[in-house]
Each structure stands twice: as C-alpha cells, then as structure tokens.
Amino acid sequence: MIDKIFGVVQHHNAPDIHLNVGLPPVVRIAGKLKTLPADPLTAEQTEEMMRTVTPPRCQVELSERGSTDFAFTHNDNRYRIAAFRQLGVICIVMRSLRQVTFSVDDLHIPHEVCDTILRGHGLFLVTGPTGSGKTTTLASLC
C-alpha cells in the first residue's frame, strides 16, 4: 500500500502525505489537501506502513516517547517523516524533500548574511510557515 501512495505523490508532485486511522490517505496537491480515492485506513494498515518506512531505532523511540522523526528514501526521492501516537493509534505525516539545492544567489539571500555566517558565532533564526522554504534556505547556506 505504501508504494501506491508514494506513486501518487510522485505522479502529482505532492509535497505532503497524511496517514490517519479512520480516513483515506490525504495528500497536498497544488496547495490543497486532497483525499485519495481509497478506503479509510485501519490501525493495522498504518502500523504496517509505519514499520515499512521507520528504522528500528525510531520504532523504539516511537514506543518510548510517542513520536519520532526521521528521513526516508523511496525510489531516489527523500522524505522527512513524523510518526506519532494520537488517541492510541499511529499517525504518519510525510514531507517530500526537494533534490535540488539552490545557491545563495538563486534565493536572493544578501551577501551580508553569508559574511555573518562565516564569522562562526551568533544566532540565526529561520522561521516561517510550512512550505515557506526554511529547509531550502538552510541547505543553501551550508
């Protein structure tokens, strides 16, 4: 089942996947959440999908803390995955990570920011809503 979901995500270039017990899989396409034409997920199905993508150390963390975050690669596509317990069942949220890294110039980041980063001390906060480019910005600065 998880392979079918990844296939839909890749076909539609959907950045987000939400898997919740009692609901069909939900993906974000063109900025809007869309329910996939499928039966609602069972607790057993979400548990199976979690075990398919989650490394053993993260499964231990999930059982001990109730949540875990990790990266996963499927067919050369990377995902940031959060698995957590909600109302006693497993929920999974996956975000597709772009393979393209942009340069500082591509993102129009002022050169003064780069100069400041090279000083080796200080604090930078990169904030914003989901999908606003925080991870992309940080990747360009490394």
Side-chain angles (χ1 to χ4, degrees):
M1 174 178 260
I2 195 78
D3 287 328
K4 287 182 183 180
I5 293 170
F6 281 127
V8 169
V9 166
Q10 291 165 8
H11 177 74
H12 291 287
N13 199 24
D16 298 315
I17 310 162
H18 301 263
L19 305 173
N20 294 301
V21 174
L23 298 171
V26 174
V27 296
R28 185 178 308 278
I29 299 174
K32 298 192 188 282
L33 291 176
K34 308 267 185 187
T35 302
L36 295 181
D39 292 333
L41 297 170
T42 66
E44 294 78 21
Q45 288 171 317
T46 57
E47 179 94 17
E48 178 185 331
M49 287 188 277
M50 180 277 295
R51 292 193 187 286
T52 300
V53 299
T54 308
R57 67 175 172 72
C58 292
Q59 290 183 36
V60 170
E61 183 177 36
L62 176 61
S63 70
E64 291 176 353
R65 294 186 178 176
S67 66
T68 188
D69 297 294
F70 55 94
F72 179 76
T73 302
H74 182 269
N75 292 341
D76 294 329
N77 294 299
R78 301 234 344 123
Y79 297 88
R80 186 172 58 214
I81 299 179
F84 53 94
R85 286 203 177 274
Q86 181 174 306
L87 301 174
V89 296
I90 300 286
C91 299
I92 305 167
V93 178
M94 298 184 253
R95 173 155 276 246
S96 176
L97 301 174
R98 293 182 185 209
Q99 298 295 331
V100 178
T101 302
F102 296 97
S103 73
V104 171
D105 291 330
D106 291 337
L107 298 177
H108 305 290
I109 296 173
H111 290 283
E112 293 81 11
V113 171
C114 298
D115 294 342
T116 304
I117 288 171
L118 294 175
R119 290 185 188 159
H121 63 278
L123 174 68
F124 276 90
L125 299 177
V126 180
T127 67
T130 301
S132 64
K134 298 178 296 289
T135 302
T136 300
T137 299
L138 290 172
S140 75
L141 295 173
C142 295

